[in-house]
Amino acid sequence: MLPTRILTKQTPQIATKSILRANCFGSFIKMLPPLSDTFPDLIRSKFSSAVDAGSLTFTPSTEIDVPAGDLTFRVRVAPNLAQKPVPTREETAAPKPKFNPFLNPEPDLFLCDLGDRYSLILNKFSIVPYHFLCITKEFEPQRAPLSEEDLSATWECLQANVESGSRLLAFYNCGELSGASQEHKHVQFIPVPHDLRLLPDVALSYGIPVSKDAIGQFPTSHPGVAFAHFVLPVPKNPSTDDLVMRFSSLLARTLTTLREHGQRTISFNFAMTKDWMFVAPRGQESYGGVSVNATGMVGLLLAKSEEQLDFIKNTGPLEVTARVGLPRITEDEQQHDY
Ligand code: B4P
């Protein structure tokens, strides 16, 4: 298990390596069957029927682009998210065991199974249409890194063309400071317009350093962004090994950054499209009341009020994300960990 062992003072590098092996190279996995060609039709019809039935709360939002150097942060403003259920005073006084919405997903939200181990369900509280989740059928902790099979499932989901003019963005909020609110393992997917360049797209436009390791490339970062983050391109038609090698390389640097900053808990954000993988370590869940998850770290922030929007505009999105991330460390400090 990842969290407590990894930051031990005695053998952090060894701990990192054994985790990568156990999670990414440890076992033979079955290839997952591809998603059906009718999946995009299924998600569209299920989304409409779940909204009509009142099983899915769709919260309208507006979008505002906030430039930051050669990046653009798209901020979604959704003041009505406040209507999302919050515990009553009685529930807070006598808390019940936390409800796990992913153990028996609501039938109206259920889309399909993916292999033996995953189900795809609609997000119950979405602010963009067709937001869906890939959940493990059995409980697995959200604080664990993605396994080989999780990466394979994520890749299968990314192939779906759920909305014309958009590509899918996968994201995984791992650990208590990552913006995650559910403890059962889930990777999320939202459609993002093709013409919107996210932070990893821009980072890759600066070029990728060549390395002599198995991937042939070092992870890159956007030179104008203060928080530590690591990006690698994903090749066309990658094998599961291609995905695992890239995730391992990004995760190793993330764990080193967390250790160098003395972080006692392991929290990071993962994001992926068909073109790239991105990982950023986290030091804080929110800044100035603005919660940030993986979408925020790649350029899609969420403001739950006009005040939060003003705060993001006045502070600057690069400052907000830098405050919830961790400062970058030098390549020298990275060198022993992978
Ligand atoms: P987490 O990984 O735990 O946390 P999160 O995405 O940050 O969402 P959070 O729950 O903190 O919501 P928030 O108000 O910040 O994801 C848990 C997921 O499970 C969420 O998607 C949640 O809605 C979903 N869920 C909870 N109960 C469920 C149930 N019974 N059945 C199915 N799904 C269930 O943000 C509100 C929403 O906006 C979230 O969905 C969030 O992912 C999304 N969002 C945040 N920033 C966004 C952005 N920039 N663009 C588009 N969507 C964004």
Side-chain angles (χ1 to χ4, degrees):
M1 290 284 286
L2 183 61
T4 44
R5 267 184 51 205
I6 193 75
L7 292 178
T8 52
K9 287 218 168 91
Q10 302 91 319
T11 54
Q13 289 91 349
I14 293 166
T16 304
K17 281 185 185 137
S18 62
I19 281 156
L20 295 178
R21 263 189 233 110
N23 283 285
C24 299
F25 302 110
S27 57
F28 176 77
I29 60 152
K30 277 189 287 179
M31 290 303 288
L32 288 163
L35 276 178
S36 155
D37 290 346
T38 57
F39 180 73
D41 295 331
L42 174 73
I43 195 167
R44 288 191 284 260
S45 67
K46 279 290 242 183
F47 179 82
S48 302
S49 57
V51 171
D52 291 346
S55 308
L56 192 158
T57 308
F58 178 71
T59 304
S61 58
T62 51
E63 289 176 339
I64 289 169
D65 283 350
V66 182
D70 63 357
L71 294 166
T72 299
F73 278 75
R74 182 155 292 181
V75 185
R76 265 188 192 273
V77 191
N80 291 335
L81 261 184
Q83 290 168 9
K84 228 174 125 175
V86 288
T88 61
R89 197 185 297 173
E90 290 75 27
E91 284 166 343
T92 311
K96 295 189 199 123
K98 204 177 166 202
F99 170 66
N100 179 352
F102 303 150
L103 220 39
N104 290 300
E106 292 178 37
D108 283 356
L109 302 176
F110 180 81
L111 295 167
C112 60
D113 285 331
L114 181 57
D116 300 335
R117 198 168 156 195
Y118 304 97
S119 297
L120 306 186
I121 64 166
L122 288 163
N123 178 9
K124 188 169 179 64
F125 305 103
S126 54
I127 54 175
V128 291
Y130 318 133
H131 182 157
F132 69 99
L133 286 72
C134 177
I135 58 175
T136 52
K137 283 174 179 278
E138 305 290 332
F139 176 82
E140 290 182 33
Q142 182 77 1
R143 62 177 190 277
L146 295 170
S147 68
E148 192 168 343
E149 203 165 1
D150 297 336
L151 290 166
S152 187
T154 301
W155 179 254
E156 284 311 324
C157 293
L158 284 173
Q159 308 313 306
N161 184 12
V162 302
E163 194 179 52
S164 69
S166 294
R167 60 177 168 166
L168 279 177
L169 172 72
F171 61 101
Y172 182 63
N173 302 317
C174 183
E176 64 184 83
L177 304 177
S178 66
S181 62
Q182 298 296 337
E183 290 163 15
H184 181 135
K185 200 175 223 187
H186 59 282
V187 179
Q188 307 190 53
F189 298 84
I190 53 169
V192 174
H194 273 305
D195 57 2
L196 179 64
R197 294 180 84 220
L198 298 172
L199 188 156
D201 296 304
V202 182
L204 286 173
S205 71
Y206 284 90
I208 310 128
V210 174
S211 80
K212 290 187 183 142
D213 65 17
I215 309 177
Q217 291 158 337
F218 283 116
T220 193
S221 302
H222 187 294
V225 171
F227 66 84
H229 64 283
F230 309 100
V231 185
L232 273 169
V234 173
K236 294 244 177 297
N237 305 315
S239 64
T240 305
D241 271 0
D242 288 331
L243 300 177
V244 167
M245 296 288 281
R246 279 158 183 77
F247 180 65
S248 304
S249 177
L250 301 176
L251 183 62
R253 284 164 171 81
T254 297
L255 295 174
T256 303
T257 308
L258 287 162
R259 193 189 64 234
E260 290 290 332
H261 287 293
Q263 281 294 125
R264 304 302 303 173
T265 58
I266 303 228
S267 296
F268 65 87
N269 293 126
F270 165 87
M272 184 177 174
T273 64
K274 284 201 271 187
D275 300 316
W276 44 254
M277 261 187 213
F278 163 101
V279 180
R282 292 290 297 269
Q284 255 176 241
E285 197 274 332
S286 61
Y287 179 57
V290 177
S291 293
V292 181
N293 70 11
T295 60
M297 300 305 268
V298 295
L300 301 166
L301 284 162
L302 176 63
K304 294 185 182 173
S305 64
E306 290 298 328
E307 290 73 29
Q308 288 194 2
L309 173 65
D310 288 343
F311 179 80
I312 292 168
K313 284 204 263 188
N314 295 337
T315 310
L318 283 175
E319 179 66 13
V320 173
T321 44
R323 293 295 188 125
V324 297
L326 285 171
R328 293 160 77 137
I329 60 174
T330 65
E331 266 302 311
D332 281 354
E333 289 165 314
Q334 290 279 0
Q335 68 187 351
H336 301 296
D337 238 15
Y338 52 92

